[in-house]
């Protein structure tokens, strides 16, 4: 019931209905619950045939950036650990 | 009243109208010596062991993106034979038609059947036509039975061995998802096409390449889940599947997201799954990828003894869960 | 910053490397927790994400989930499900509802069984479909059995708006919309479930705003993080909770910032308020009566109210669950589905004894579908 899917707006008609695309599947949804104007290209959350809200693209991109940075930091940490354990290797320098 | 010619009760009465229908439509499009001999039964000869199968087709809607009930009736039965390593040879075809059914639609269906037969070389050698009053069937039902000559023995759901590699011949769930999309009341549209297709050329390629096949099945009702679970139970083994390696078309994924389904529960009508010994896996993949209908063949998992009778789905990030048989009525009348 | 693609909104929040990284970070930082974390995820949708993606397997032993009552069909007592059945049995009625209600068991029957007997019962993908059905069947009584938390309530209100505007007179409403905060209060008042953190329902707060959770941290000394439904959303929310605990903070935070704001959808809130108001009493399965926890139609809309118009055929006696069914205890967070003696044996999605097994947001259904290895 809380099943709510992000979709992209591809068309808006004069009956306050929008056509949205979810990975190639198109549906008609009602914009009756939207106070703000909805435009083609907007990303919205759909629930039981209605647009529930407009997804904040800035926030979404920021979240994705946070995850990217986290991965980079972890990779950097792993790299350093490998170098350190190599530096501390007892057999280093011996032939 | 429609201007289109319609099938009447008299077309199934056995008299002149029936004869016309049979000659002008069925004999014309399915033409071959045995059929045209028009005897009470077809006289056939085979050299080896045969495989014999039957299937009835009640799919709704009868015309869908990627095919129709006729194409399905041929591909479905031909594939059942192919999955046993049998070359599809002879089919029967019975039609149960609701009075008032448009003649043009029947012709489209019959033409599609003739076209589909070419992919395996099988022939329709006998048949039957019944026309029933309005409401007795929903538009048209078709039954096809088929005989094939076994060219490769030993393929069985009881034969899976520890170490066998599981291969899927293409992306999963397209037929079920395509039918779901055509159903009224969902208000969705898209370009998703059923994967309805004849698999015999792919099986022929595997036989020619001398691949040992433990088990092989086309994943119809119940999808990939049903086949994997049946194998796990019948061979008393564990199937360990890598979730990320199961190919799924983007639009199928879209439908699954929208309705909360899983692609591996949806039916396929032109996609099969095989279990082969590890040393034959790459040969099998190479052979399948050269054939158009199985060009996306890929390895999805392996047989182990971890938990007999169960299918385990491994995620790409370290967690696992059981992949169980789909429950409840997912979709009625998909084939 | 690059342009957002639709795929990013799915795949970007399911990236396996990020999942692994988050799980590792949580495991490291959870070592400093002074006491084990008992997080209640209120919403059934979150329970499903946790089970489907096997998130418990990636987390340390000192983090446990307590499943909450966030399944609007699961919390309805049998007598209210019997209401739906009674309405469907009216001679010239067409009963409409959302999919999940169809197979839920009442005391002696279910809508699915009644449909098999020939009653006109239809599952809608959207409440707006009710209008077409009402217009096509002017001589029938078309009754919409409305269910759902705050997420689904505005859609019923929008339907009412259209019905009023178009002057439709044969469409009636049986309202079973319920509210999250009173349910959480009731569970915490009970005191038995030792919850010390919450994952807040997100789509509820898309409508009502995260402001509805603001009192919770202070009242229950438990951090609340409003989380999205993808596995990365849930894991990030758990990390935020772990950090709050380790930093001795106790706040309401929004993880699902791409869709949740403090204010929510004010137009939707106004529409709900126009047509509905909180009921004095409403019995919740397992929990009992929670005052002001459910909505009913305002008096001026009594002409649309099925509970009013068809009162004489609606049962009033409370009906208890089967004595082996522990749905009520599970909804209160005091048991898990696999603690139930009939889980997976006498009670399965095909043969459910309680709604938790058959609803797409029920905990038992999630455990059954995504059984852990």
């Amino acid at each position: 019931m809380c099943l709510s899917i992000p979709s992209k707006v591809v068309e808006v008609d004069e009956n306050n209905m929008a056509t949205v695309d979810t990975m190639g599947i198109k549906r008609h949804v009602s914009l009756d619950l939207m106070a703000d104007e909805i435009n083609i290209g907007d990303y919205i959350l759909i629930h039981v045939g209605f647009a529930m809200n407009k997804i904040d693209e800035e926030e979404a991109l920021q979240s994705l950036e946070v995850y990217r940075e986290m991965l980079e930091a972890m990779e950097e940490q792993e790299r350093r650990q490998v170098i350190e354990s190599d530096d501390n290797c007892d057999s280093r320098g011996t032939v | 009243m429609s201007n289109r010619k319609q099938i009447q009760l008299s077309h199934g009465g056995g008299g002149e109208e029936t004869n016309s229908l049979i000659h002008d439509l069925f004999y014309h499009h399915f033409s071959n010596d045995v059929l045209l001999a028009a005897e009470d039964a077809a006289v056939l000869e085979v050299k080896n062991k045969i495989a014999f199968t039957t299937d009835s087709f009640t799919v709704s809607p009868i015309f869908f993106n990627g095919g129709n009930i006729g194409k399905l009736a041929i591909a479905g039965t031909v594939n059942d034979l192919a999955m046993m390593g049998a070359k599809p040879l002879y089919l029967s075809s019975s039609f149960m038609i609701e009075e008032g059914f448009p003649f043009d639609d029947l012709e489209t269906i019959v033409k599609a059947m003739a076209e589909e037969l070419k992919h395996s070389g099988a022939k329709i050698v006998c048949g039957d036509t019944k026309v029933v009053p309005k409401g007795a069937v929903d538009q048209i039902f078709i039954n096809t039975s088929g005989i094939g000559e076994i060219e490769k023995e030993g393929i069985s759901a009881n034969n899976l061995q520890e170490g066998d590699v599981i291969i899927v011949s293409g992306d999963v769930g397209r037929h079920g998802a395509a039918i779901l999309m055509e159903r009224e009341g969902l208000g969705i549209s898209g370009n998703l096409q059923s994967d309805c297709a004849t698999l015999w050329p792919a099986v022929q390629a595997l036989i020619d390449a001398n691949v040992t096949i433990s088990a092989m099945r086309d994943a119809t009702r119940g999808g990939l889940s049903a086949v994997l679970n049946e194998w796990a139970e019948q061979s008393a083994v564990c199937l360990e599947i890598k979730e990320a390696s199961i190919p799924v078309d983007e639009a199928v994924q879209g439908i699954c997201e929208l309705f909360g389904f899983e692609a591996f529960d949806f039916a396929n009508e032109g996609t099969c799954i095989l279990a082969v010994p590890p040393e034959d896996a790459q040969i099998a993949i190479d052979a399948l990828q050269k054939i158009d209908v199985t060009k996306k063949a890929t390895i999805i998992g392996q047989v182990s003894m971890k938990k007999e009778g169960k299918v385990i789905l491994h995620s790409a990030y370290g967690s696992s869960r059981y992949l169980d048989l789909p429950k409840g009525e997912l979709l009625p009348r998909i084939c | 910053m690059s342009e957002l693609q639709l795929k990013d909104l799915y795949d970007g929040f399911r990236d396996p490397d990020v999942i692994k990284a988050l799980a590792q970070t949580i495991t490291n930082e959870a070592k400093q927790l002074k006491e084990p974390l008992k997080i209640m995820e209120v919403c059934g949708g979150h329970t499903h994400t946790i089970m489907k993606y096997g998130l418990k397997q990636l987390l340390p032993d000192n983090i446990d989930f307590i499943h909450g009552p966030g399944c609007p069909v699961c919390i309805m007592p049998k007598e209210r499900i019997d209401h739906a059945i009674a309405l469907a049995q009216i001679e010239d009625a067409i009963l409409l509802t959302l999919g999940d209600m169809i197979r839920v068991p009442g005391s002696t029957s279910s809508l699915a069984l009644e449909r098999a007997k020939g009653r006109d019962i239809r599952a809608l993908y959207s409440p707006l479909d009710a209008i077409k059905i009402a217009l096509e069947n002017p001589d029938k009584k078309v009754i919409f059995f409305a269910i759902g938390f705050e997420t689904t309530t505005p859609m019923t209100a929008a339907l009412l708006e259209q019905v009023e505007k178009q002057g439709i007179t044969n469409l009636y409403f049986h309202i079973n919309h319920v509210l999250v905060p009173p349910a959480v209060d009731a569970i915490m008042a009970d005191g038995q479930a030792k919850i010390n953190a919450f994952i807040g329902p997100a789509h509820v707060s898309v409508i009502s705003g995260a402001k509805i959770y603001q009192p919770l941290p202070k009242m229950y000394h438990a951090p609340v993080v409003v989380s999205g439904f993808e596995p990365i959303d849930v894991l990030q929310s758990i990390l935020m909770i772990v950090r709050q605990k380790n930093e001795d903070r106790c706040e309401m935070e929004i993880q699902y910032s791409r869709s949740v704001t403090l204010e929510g959808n004010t137009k939707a809130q106004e529409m709900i308020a126009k047509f509905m108001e909180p009921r004095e009493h409403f019995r919740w399965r397992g929990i009992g009566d929670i005052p002001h926890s459910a909505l009913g139609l305002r008096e001026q809309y009594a002409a649309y109210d099925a509970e009013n118009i068809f009162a004489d055929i609606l049962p009033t006696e409370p009906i208890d669950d089967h004595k082996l069914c522990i749905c009520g205890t599970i909804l209160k967070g005091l048991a898990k589905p696999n603690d139930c003696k009939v889980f997976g044996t006498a009670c399965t999605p095909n043969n459910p004894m309680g709604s938790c097994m058959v609803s797409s947001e029920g905990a038992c259904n999630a455990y059954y579908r995504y059984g852990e290895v």
Side-chain angles (χ1 to χ4, degrees), chain C residues 113-267:
Chain C
L113 286 170
E114 293 299 311
R115 188 168 58 182
K117 284 190 213 156
R119 306 283 177 200
D120 198 340
I121 297 168
R122 309 185 199 183
L124 303 178
Y125 286 97
S126 166
L128 279 185
D129 298 338
I131 296 200
K132 185 159 171 265
I133 296 173
L135 289 172
E136 283 172 358
N137 296 276
D139 51 341
K140 297 272 171 113
K141 300 183 178 70
V142 181
I143 307 168
F144 180 57
F145 195 86
I147 53 172
F149 278 96
E150 290 92 326
T151 324
T152 321
T153 311
M155 290 77 187
T156 303
L159 175 60
L160 275 157
E161 180 110 311
Q162 284 302 319
V163 168
E164 218 190 16
K165 212 191 242 176
Q166 297 184 38
I168 297 171
T169 51
N170 64 331
L171 184 48
Y172 305 95
F173 293 76
H174 188 285
I175 305 287
N176 302 280
H177 289 303
V178 283
L179 304 168
V180 162
V184 171
D185 288 339
I187 289 173
M188 295 307 275
D190 177 272
Q192 288 184 68
K194 303 288 174 223
I195 298 158
N196 51 23
F198 290 95
I199 288 177
H203 290 145
V204 160
S205 45
V206 163
I207 299 294
S208 57
K211 61 185 186 225
I212 60 167
Y213 306 125
Q214 275 174 323
L216 264 61
K218 217 180 214 163
M219 260 166 72
Y220 302 121
H221 311 292
V224 177
V225 177
V226 183
S227 170
F229 289 91
E230 298 297 345
I232 288 179
D233 289 322
V234 175
L235 285 175
Q236 188 180 19
S237 302
I238 295 168
L239 182 59
M240 287 162 79
I241 290 173
V242 169
R243 286 184 174 163
Q244 281 207 35
K245 287 288 190 189
N246 285 341
E247 292 162 21
D248 274 317
R249 286 183 289 124
C250 190
E251 298 161 0
M252 196 272 298
E253 288 185 278
I254 299 173
Q255 177 278 335
Y256 195 22
S257 54
R258 60 195 188 275
S259 284
V260 172
T261 59
L262 267 183
E263 281 316 304
N265 183 334
T266 43
K267 183 174 182 188

Side-chain angles (χ1 to χ4, degrees), chain C residues 292-310:
Chain C
H292 306 124
S293 64
L295 300 174
L297 278 180
R298 288 189 183 278
E299 247 209 84
Q300 59 260 51
Y301 301 105
Y304 297 119
D305 194 343
E307 269 182 280
N308 171 40
I309 307 275
F310 304 109

Side-chain angles (χ1 to χ4, degrees), chain A residues 3-87:
Chain A
L3 197 65
S4 195
I5 315 293
S7 301
K8 190 172 185 175
V9 177
V10 295
E11 210 182 287
V12 179
D13 72 25
E14 58 298 341
N15 294 326
N16 215 24
M17 298 282 287
T19 305
V20 299
D21 182 297
T22 311
M23 299 192 198
I25 306 297
K26 292 197 173 54
R27 280 185 311 165
H28 260 356
V29 296
S30 166
L31 298 176
D32 284 351
L33 297 174
M34 300 277 87
D36 296 332
E37 199 181 294
I38 298 294
N39 300 307
I40 294 177
D42 283 346
Y43 295 104
I44 53 178
L45 270 184
I46 309 295
H47 183 61
V48 299
F50 283 81
M52 212 167 49
N53 84 329
K54 193 158 92 168
I55 294 172
D56 187 328
E57 292 184 44
E58 281 300 309
E59 287 287 348
L61 286 166
Q62 268 174 31
S63 295
L64 295 171
E65 185 60 28
V66 163
Y67 305 143
R68 222 181 337 262
E69 284 169 7
M70 188 180 66
L71 278 183
E72 275 167 19
M74 287 207 111
E75 276 163 34
E76 179 58 35
Q77 201 181 46
E78 274 168 25
R79 217 173 55 84
R80 271 206 228 108
Q81 272 175 358
V82 168
I83 293 173
E84 255 179 46
S85 67
D86 184 58
D87 280 347

Side-chain angles (χ1 to χ4, degrees), chain C residues 313-327:
Chain C
I313 55 121
L314 296 176
T316 49
E317 285 306 305
I319 301 174
D320 284 332
D321 288 332
H322 191 287
K323 56 181 190 287
L324 288 175
C325 171
I326 61 165
C327 268

Side-chain angles (χ1 to χ4, degrees), chain B residues 36-305:
Chain B
L36 266 40
E39 304 285 4
D40 272 346
V43 177
L44 311 166
E45 211 174 296
V46 291
K47 294 187 212 56
N48 297 319
K49 258 192 205 168
I50 59 170
F52 180 43
T53 187
T54 187
D55 236 322
S56 295
F57 296 87
T58 60
V59 64
S60 170
I62 54 176
F63 293 99
F64 47 86
N65 216 351
N68 59 52
I69 189 173
K71 182 179 181 187
L72 197 55
I74 299 300
T77 290
V78 155
N79 286 347
D80 280 346
L81 294 169
M83 292 299 105
M84 293 306 295
K87 179 173 165 64
L89 291 176
Y90 307 115
L91 264 61
S92 73
S93 172
S94 288
F95 296 86
M96 275 147 285
I97 308 171
E98 189 185 21
E99 97 180 281
F101 191 71
F103 181 86
D104 289 346
D105 286 352
L106 183 59
E107 185 158 38
T108 305
I109 289 169
V110 167
K111 277 186 180 159
M113 293 170 79
E115 193 55 41
E116 193 61 28
L117 283 166
K118 291 182 188 158
H119 295 290
S120 61
K123 299 185 176 65
I124 289 180
V125 295
C126 57
D128 181 56
T129 309
K130 294 282 185 298
V131 182
V132 291
K134 234 174 179 14
V137 306
D138 183 7
Q139 298 188 282
I140 183 170
F141 291 164
I142 304 177
N143 170 281
T144 48
S145 299
I147 291 174
E149 201 154 24
I150 304 250
E151 290 194 7
K152 188 169 192 75
E153 290 197 54
I155 302 174
S156 165
N158 294 309
N159 278 354
L160 281 97
Q161 308 292 325
E162 188 177 356
D164 276 353
V165 170
I166 309 290
I167 295 170
V168 72
S169 75
D171 60 272
V172 300
R174 264 201 289 140
H175 181 75
I179 296 291
L180 180 63
M181 228 174 47
E182 307 257 5
R183 289 273 162 88
E184 269 182 277
L186 294 184
I188 56 176
S189 62
N191 285 330
L192 187 56
Q193 290 215 335
S194 162
D195 61 333
C196 177
T198 293
L199 287 165
W200 173 246
V203 177
Q204 178 93 82
L206 289 169
I207 294 174
D208 290 344
N210 232 344
V211 171
T212 307
I213 303 172
S214 301
M216 185 163 60
R217 194 166 282 190
D218 58 342
T220 55
R221 276 179 300 180
L224 178 68
S225 306
V227 175
L228 296 177
N229 274 283
E230 278 159 29
W231 283 356
E233 203 188 297
Q234 286 188 248
S235 291
V237 292
C238 178
L239 268 53
E240 299 196 54
I241 307 294
K242 283 203 176 73
E243 192 170 11
S245 60
I246 302 175
V248 182
D249 179 86
E250 202 175 74
V252 173
Q253 190 57 38
I255 291 204
C256 291
E257 298 285 348
L258 282 173
F259 296 105
F261 293 133
E262 307 265 28
F264 35 74
D265 289 344
F266 274 137
N268 307 269
E269 289 291 343
T271 306
C272 66
I273 304 158
L274 352 160
V276 305
E279 58 273 13
D280 280 9
Q282 196 52 52
I283 307 169
I285 294 278
D286 291 340
L288 289 171
Q289 285 183 349
K290 287 199 183 76
I291 306 292
D292 190 52
V293 74
T294 51
K295 58 182 184 275
K296 291 198 222 152
T298 186
I299 294 174
I300 60 167
Q302 223 172 342
V303 178
S304 77
M305 298 308 278

